[in-house]
Amino acid sequence: MPSNTSAPPAKKKGRRARLLLVLLVLVLVAGVGAGGYWGVSTVRASFPQTTGEIRLDSLSGQVEVKRDATGVPQIYADNETDLFRAQGYVQAQDRFYEMDVRRHVTAGRLSEMFGEGQVETDSFLRTLGWRRVAQEEYDKVLSADTKKYLQAYAEGVNAYLKDRKPGDVSVEYAALALTNDYAIEPWTPVDSVAWLKAMAWDLRGNMQDEIDRSLLTSRLTPAQIKQLYPEYPYALHQPIVDAGKVDESTGKFDPKGGGDGDDLGTGETPGTDPAGSNGTGGSTGTGGSNGSTGSNGSQGMSSQLSALSEVLDGVPALLGPNGNGIGSNSWVVAGKYTTSGKPLLANDPHLAPQLPSLWYQMGLHCRSVSATCRYDVSGYTFSGMPGVIIGHNDKIAWGLTNLGADVTDLYLEKIGPDGYLVDGKVKPFTVREETIKVAGGADRKITVRSTGHGPLVSDRSSELETVGQKAPVGNAAPDRGTGYGVSLQWTALQPGRSMDAIFAIDRAKDFDTFRAAARNFEVPSQNLIYADTEGHIGYQSPGKIPQRATGDGTLPAPGWDSKYKWKGYIPFEQLPYEYNPDRGYIVTANQAVIDAKKYPDLLTKDWGYGSRSQRINDLIESKTKDGGKISPDDMRTMQTDNRSEIATLLNPLLLKIDIADPHVREAQKLLEGWDYTQEPDSAAAAYFNAVWRNVLKLAFGNKLPKEVRAEGDCINVRPADATGPVDEQNKLVRECGQRDPDSAQPDGGDRWYEVVRPLLKQEKSEWWTTPGTRTDQATETRDQLLARAMKDARWELTAELGKDVSTWSWGRLHQLTLKNQTLGTAGPGVVRQLLNRGPWNLGGGEAAVDATGWNAAGGYEVIWVPSMRMVVNVGDWDKSRWINLTGASGHAFHTHYTDQTDAWARGDLYDWAYGKAAVDAATKDTLVLRP
């Protein structure tokens, strides 16, 4: 699933608090390397039993667990509850520590495990209230069958935990026992449900873009900001659905509907100008149609939104940095274009690299599929959740990518001691108290206040208590008083039925039952692709997507004006879908779902910009022209396609630059004859990406406010509130970036491709101008800036890779290190050696199909990856192939901790056994679970 998982504690805060824990882990595991009995026995005590027999009181019949050479389990049972009980038991065997940390994240209880350094993170998560919403879903919304499965799964987990000491569950607990009296609690059904809220958080859409657009107002004009957020290039990059429209008479989406849709408008709603009537920095301000702005107000608003951004940055990045780069690939090709004559379906979600991987591979099989035992499904799921999220059963296959719908809005709220203002009247807050237990410290109590829009996230920061104190507002807005609060409205904070949808998809048999299941897949909103054994292919965009009465969700809205409320959600019948399109294939890679001119509702203004999706479309078209056929191996090859799309635009210009410096010229020659592929051993890819990084820094990064630039990126700039020329009273100041490097701007994703594309045709632009330095003259033209970027890149790589360009390689810059998500992210290097793995030198790159993402503002390190890959051979299931990023096990010294990673890095896939005979042939270990 897209794009956002054993969640870490917050990235920056709490590391000192964990240092003692890390040092104690050293004592614990040092015995492993030294052959010490205590260390070895402690580590091995947690390894799962995979052969023989185990008795479980909760089972009603015998269950077999068959594991292959990579430790992937296939479970066989005679009834559904035993199937999910066994799933809970087996996942707890392999991954319980990951599951436990994950449920503490979703409940805002990290402080119970890791101490007071996590109190601020817990406070924010308690304010969001994921666990409370999950409990409400379980109590009031989910079906009886779903509750039965969740309860059975919990029984299986608890059967594993029964009579086990924490140190026998995972080595990390032995370390925790040395620092606090932490005790493992029984697993509950709500622990599983809450995980979907965490998934929805990192796949929430454009909240960061909403904040960033506001922050940019302190340095840039509305016109400049609009340039940095260009419209989706429909003429260049094909949307997912290229036909169909909503039938005005029925209100249903017709996938075969004709017409260009001009009568439906542009798909925009009032206030679409990024700095317009819904804006904080445009001509009308946040207060309504008569607003005015000022530089001081803009600066004040920027500081408050920056504080919110920092709070958001402190929340564990469960799936990775939330932004334009995160996404996934999936595509399906009809049988008329395949060598098998049946559909082929591929999927590779792009997420943050984690150890263990987010995904857990397994099969769930009823020995005899019937009305009372309906599951025969295999694929990828999450540790801590029953069912299968992505995969296939005996009739259909499906994949997921993040739709990217805008399902969050920030609201400025006029608050006072008695409540908040709406249309001139004060409404009371909804208030609750939360107690945060802290390992090794006193309990902390917080008060959570909510408005009609949602929780006041500003209550979690002293800076945010005065949010909007100097915010630019219009004449129609209420007076500032002590400032405005900030509330969050988000679809995931309402009970939903996504868990029902997962089980329904697992047992769907055709497109109608698949779509019926998708109706309940409310959050996170995903692109669902489909294929079946009858040869049909399809697509459905599900999700609870808001309809706004006013505004477009691109900037914080005035909460005191009810015109900006959500008026409802797009009905499922109106959401785009396709079934057997004439072109014979469907590609989803986070691009626009449908041309806005053909669709009346606003899904989002912040799509991915379609570089990956168009490359996949082009590869399919080139392979199938003149009667060509696509094989399963072709699908795998496409997944590892690593061509740089921005290089096709920029490289020809770089080769035309007249370079006098012989050292820079030597590097420039690397680009001659380069085919734009980004192989790990490519010197040209290394140099080009360094040039691209420096082009972005010179043209854009140095012009952005500190709130969005990377930490440590310091430049001399004119103060944001300066007027007139630089002089003694208004001199340049040293200003350093404040954003975590993984989420800083300009990140170099395909939004920046679209920003740069038209500029490359202009020899002169304000973006090409840069001030001079002690070693460089000022630039005024495109070629001058490109030459300077080439020079800066040459010396950057000289420092990183050495003076001899023949020894350069992209993989030496672009490395992946897999980090244990709790104890392997900080502390002495020896601990990281023991718990972490890598580095691997990787090819691929930002916005390539092989999306080994990196943030150009922060460096070349790999920060998101294809977290798994699968190619499903529909109907001939045993010829399908798959791979995981790491391995089946979460135990640091187990054989299956990272045994799939080398093959994953090479782009290889493993055989995916599904049928009973194929599973038996692949089985290396068999465990029998008996009542």
Side-chain angles (χ1 to χ4, degrees):
M1 184 177 293
S3 248
N4 319 119
T5 305
S6 344
K11 285 182 274 188
K12 305 173 196 172
K13 298 171 183 174
R15 289 187 174 179
R16 291 180 183 174
R18 296 202 308 271
L19 183 56
L20 176 60
L21 180 59
V22 171
L23 291 171
L24 289 169
V25 172
L26 262 180
V27 176
L28 175 69
V29 299
V32 177
Y37 172 79
W38 184 60
V40 171
S41 63
T42 301
V43 169
R44 290 180 177 172
S46 62
F47 287 3
Q49 178 182 337
T50 59
T51 60
E53 294 187 1
I54 297 175
R55 294 195 175 273
L56 301 184
D57 294 340
S58 58
L59 288 177
S60 62
Q62 179 176 302
V63 177
E64 290 176 300
V65 182
K66 301 184 177 186
R67 295 180 185 258
D68 66 11
T70 60
V72 172
Q74 304 283 342
I75 300 176
Y76 291 85
D78 291 323
N79 63 73
E80 293 174 351
T81 51
D82 277 356
L83 192 64
F84 294 116
R85 284 189 188 100
Q87 184 181 17
Y89 186 90
V90 169
Q91 287 193 339
Q93 281 186 305
D94 284 337
R95 299 278 194 96
F96 184 77
Y97 180 73
E98 173 196 2
M99 293 162 58
D100 199 16
V101 172
R102 187 178 292 169
R103 68 167 164 175
H104 278 75
V105 171
T106 58
R109 295 175 55 196
L110 283 170
S111 300
E112 295 177 23
M113 298 184 80
F114 301 106
E116 63 179 347
Q118 303 308 312
V119 169
E120 186 172 339
T121 295
D122 283 345
S123 297
F124 188 77
L125 294 170
R126 295 287 185 97
T127 299
L128 294 180
W130 294 347
R131 173 76 186 203
R132 294 172 60 87
V133 180
Q135 184 71 57
E136 191 173 355
E137 286 183 1
Y138 184 79
D139 291 342
K140 301 178 181 179
V141 178
L142 296 178
S143 70
D145 273 354
T146 296
K147 291 185 189 181
K148 179 176 66 175
Y149 301 151
L150 289 165
Q151 185 60 47
Y153 181 90
E155 290 169 0
V157 174
N158 293 328
Y160 173 73
L161 295 176
K162 184 180 179 182
D163 299 329
R164 277 186 168 81
K165 297 176 182 178
D168 293 337
V169 174
S170 187
V171 67
E172 290 91 339
Y173 290 116
L176 287 177
L178 298 175
T179 59
N180 62 55
D181 56 356
Y182 178 78
I184 298 174
E185 296 177 357
W187 192 264
T188 73
V190 180
D191 292 332
S192 297
V193 178
W195 181 237
L196 284 178
K197 301 304 173 187
M199 294 293 298
W201 174 251
D202 275 331
L203 303 175
R204 62 192 179 271
N206 77 334
M207 184 190 293
Q208 194 63 60
D209 287 327
E210 190 174 337
I211 293 170
D212 286 356
R213 269 187 286 254
S214 299
L215 294 174
L216 294 180
T217 61
S218 69
R219 288 280 177 197
L220 305 178
T221 67
Q224 290 172 322
I225 294 171
K226 190 171 183 178
Q227 276 188 283
L228 300 188
Y229 288 88
E231 295 293 323
Y232 184 86
Y234 290 102
L236 293 173
H237 297 159
Q238 179 179 321
I240 296 171
V241 176
D242 64 358
K245 68 175 184 178
V246 175
D247 187 316
E248 291 181 330
S249 63
T250 64
K252 295 183 178 180
F253 185 83
D254 178 3
K256 302 295 185 181
D260 60 11
D262 288 340
D263 57 318
L264 296 177
T266 63
E268 298 177 350
T269 54
T272 56
D273 186 334
S277 60
N278 188 23
T280 58
S283 58
T284 57
T286 58
S289 59
N290 302 317
S292 60
T293 66
S295 60
N296 289 334
S298 180
Q299 184 181 8
M301 183 60 172
S302 292
S303 66
Q304 304 309 324
L305 285 172
S306 177
L308 174 58
S309 182
E310 186 173 343
V311 171
L312 299 180
D313 232 14
V315 177
L318 307 177
L319 306 181
N322 180 272
N324 181 252
I326 281 291
S328 303
N329 301 321
S330 70
W331 65 93
V332 61
V333 182
K336 65 181 179 180
Y337 290 133
T338 69
T339 56
S340 66
K342 291 289 181 73
L344 296 174
L345 185 149
N347 197 185
D348 56 283
H350 307 156
L351 305 170
Q354 298 174 35
L355 185 57
S357 166
L358 164 71
W359 299 108
Y360 186 93
Q361 298 158 283
M362 72 187 319
L364 301 171
H365 308 278
C366 291
R367 290 193 181 94
S368 177
V369 177
S370 65
T372 58
C373 197
R374 296 166 289 177
Y375 294 90
D376 189 13
V377 61
S378 184
Y380 296 84
T381 187
F382 305 133
S383 302
M385 276 181 55
V388 167
I389 308 299
I390 296 173
H392 71 82
N393 58 33
D394 63 326
K395 297 294 185 183
I396 75 166
W398 67 95
L400 304 178
T401 63
N402 192 24
L403 192 149
D406 185 359
V407 296
T408 61
D409 276 341
L410 296 173
Y411 285 87
L412 298 179
E413 304 280 9
K414 173 58 180 175
I415 61 177
D418 300 320
Y420 60 99
L421 195 68
V422 179
D423 295 338
K425 297 180 180 179
V426 175
K427 293 189 173 184
F429 297 114
T430 301
V431 179
R432 71 177 189 270
E433 301 290 330
E434 295 274 355
T435 299
I436 299 172
K437 297 184 181 298
V438 182
D443 292 353
R444 308 290 178 86
K445 293 185 180 294
I446 64 169
T447 299
V448 178
R449 301 185 296 172
S450 297
T451 72
H453 298 115
L456 276 172
V457 290
S458 52
D459 280 352
R460 299 285 73 84
S461 166
S462 58
E463 289 182 276
L464 287 171
E465 289 174 1
T466 58
V467 67
Q469 193 169 22
K470 297 181 179 179
V473 294
N475 296 334
D479 64 88
R480 294 186 178 93
T482 58
Y484 301 128
V486 177
S487 65
L488 170 65
Q489 187 163 12
W490 177 31
T491 55
L493 298 184
Q494 302 168 24
R497 297 185 59 190
S498 293
M499 189 64 75
D500 285 343
I502 290 169
F503 293 112
I505 290 174
D506 283 356
R507 58 179 184 260
K509 298 301 182 185
D510 54 32
F511 194 59
D512 287 342
T513 52
F514 180 76
R515 288 194 72 211
R519 175 184 292 272
N520 291 325
F521 207 120
E522 297 171 335
V523 291
S525 185
Q526 299 289 287
N527 296 307
L528 299 177
I529 61 165
Y530 167 94
D532 63 35
T533 54
E534 297 299 315
H536 304 297
I537 65 173
Y539 163 82
Q540 177 68 56
S541 57
K544 183 179 284 186
I545 302 172
Q547 294 174 310
R548 295 167 177 84
T550 302
D552 62 6
T554 58
L555 285 164
W560 52 81
D561 188 342
S562 63
K563 291 186 297 185
Y564 288 86
K565 68 180 181 181
W566 291 0
K567 63 181 182 180
Y569 302 94
I570 301 174
F572 181 79
E573 289 77 14
Q574 288 181 208
L575 291 171
Y577 74 98
E578 281 192 317
Y579 187 55
N580 294 330
D582 292 340
R583 65 182 177 278
Y585 59 88
I586 301 169
V587 175
T588 84
N590 316 111
Q591 78 271 40
V593 170
I594 188 170
D595 193 327
K597 291 183 179 180
K598 298 181 179 180
Y599 192 69
D601 285 295
L602 179 66
L603 298 174
T604 185
K605 297 283 287 185
D606 292 306
W607 300 111
Y609 280 75
S611 289
R612 281 182 290 112
S613 62
Q614 193 57 47
R615 176 63 174 164
I616 297 167
N617 275 297
D618 292 344
L619 289 170
I620 294 173
E621 290 177 9
S622 67
K623 189 69 179 177
T624 57
K625 70 179 180 180
D626 301 325
K629 302 287 187 179
I630 292 177
S631 70
D633 197 55
D634 291 329
M635 300 283 276
R636 182 200 65 81
T637 300
M638 282 189 266
Q639 286 182 324
T640 57
D641 180 84
N642 58 29
R643 189 175 80 155
S644 169
E645 296 304 304
I646 187 59
T648 66
L649 300 175
L650 184 55
N651 198 63
L653 293 174
L654 298 178
L655 291 175
K656 293 179 181 178
I657 303 294
D658 185 12
I659 299 295
D661 186 315
H663 297 289
V664 181
R665 173 61 184 141
E666 184 182 32
Q668 184 187 36
K669 287 181 179 179
L670 295 173
L671 304 177
E672 296 175 356
W674 179 44
D675 62 0
Y676 312 137
T677 59
Q678 301 174 93
E679 297 294 334
D681 61 357
S682 171
Y687 183 56
F688 175 82
N689 282 314
V691 173
W692 171 237
R693 167 171 149 83
N694 280 278
V695 167
L696 291 169
K697 177 179 175 64
L698 292 168
F700 307 103
N702 292 347
K703 301 177 176 72
L704 301 181
K706 61 182 181 296
E707 293 86 359
V708 304
R709 296 202 322 273
E711 288 178 326
D713 178 14
C714 299
I715 55 176
N716 295 319
V717 297
R718 172 185 171 128
D721 58 353
T723 58
V726 174
D727 54 28
E728 288 302 316
Q729 287 75 40
N730 204 19
K731 59 186 178 182
L732 297 178
V733 296
R734 190 72 168 164
E735 190 177 86
C736 295
Q738 299 176 348
R739 182 70 62 81
D740 186 283
D742 288 356
S743 56
Q745 293 294 335
D747 62 19
D750 62 358
R751 171 165 68 88
W752 292 98
Y753 296 4
E754 293 308 310
V755 171
V756 169
R757 185 190 300 276
L759 291 176
L760 291 178
K761 300 176 183 178
Q762 304 173 31
E763 181 60 26
K764 286 202 169 185
S765 164
E766 60 184 338
W767 299 109
W768 299 135
T769 63
T770 63
T773 68
R774 289 178 299 173
T775 57
D776 292 287
Q777 292 184 338
T779 66
E780 297 180 351
T781 69
R782 178 197 64 198
D783 289 354
Q784 288 174 349
L785 185 138
L786 295 182
R788 184 161 158 184
M790 293 172 75
K791 173 187 173 184
D792 290 350
R794 175 28 158 146
W795 299 118
E796 180 186 359
L797 294 199
T798 297
E800 291 281 344
L801 303 177
K803 184 177 180 180
D804 184 355
V805 300
S806 68
T807 67
W808 291 359
S809 70
W810 175 225
R812 286 175 60 201
L813 278 180
H814 191 54
Q815 293 186 323
L816 167 67
T817 298
L818 294 171
K819 299 176 182 178
N820 178 287
Q821 290 298 298
T822 55
L823 303 180
T825 57
V830 66
V831 172
R832 294 195 293 273
Q833 287 181 344
L834 289 167
L835 297 179
N836 299 343
R837 299 293 181 269
W840 284 265
N841 295 347
L842 298 186
E846 181 64 38
V849 179
D850 185 14
T852 55
W854 56 287
N855 187 308
Y860 305 99
E861 179 185 4
V862 176
I863 59 173
W864 56 78
V865 294
S867 57
M868 63 80 159
R869 297 186 183 101
M870 73 176 193
V871 175
V872 183
N873 198 322
V874 176
D876 198 353
W877 304 114
D878 293 327
K879 292 184 179 178
S880 301
R881 310 200 76 200
W882 64 353
I883 201 161
N884 204 350
L885 172 64
T886 60
S889 180
H891 299 289
F893 302 99
H894 195 277
T895 303
H896 301 311
Y897 191 45
T898 56
D899 59 328
Q900 297 188 46
T901 309
D902 285 344
W904 172 92
R906 293 191 302 266
D908 295 342
L909 299 175
Y910 291 151
D911 290 339
W912 179 354
Y914 172 73
K916 183 66 163 54
V919 170
D920 287 345
T923 295
K924 300 299 181 185
D925 290 336
T926 299
L927 174 68
V928 176
L929 304 177
R930 296 187 181 277

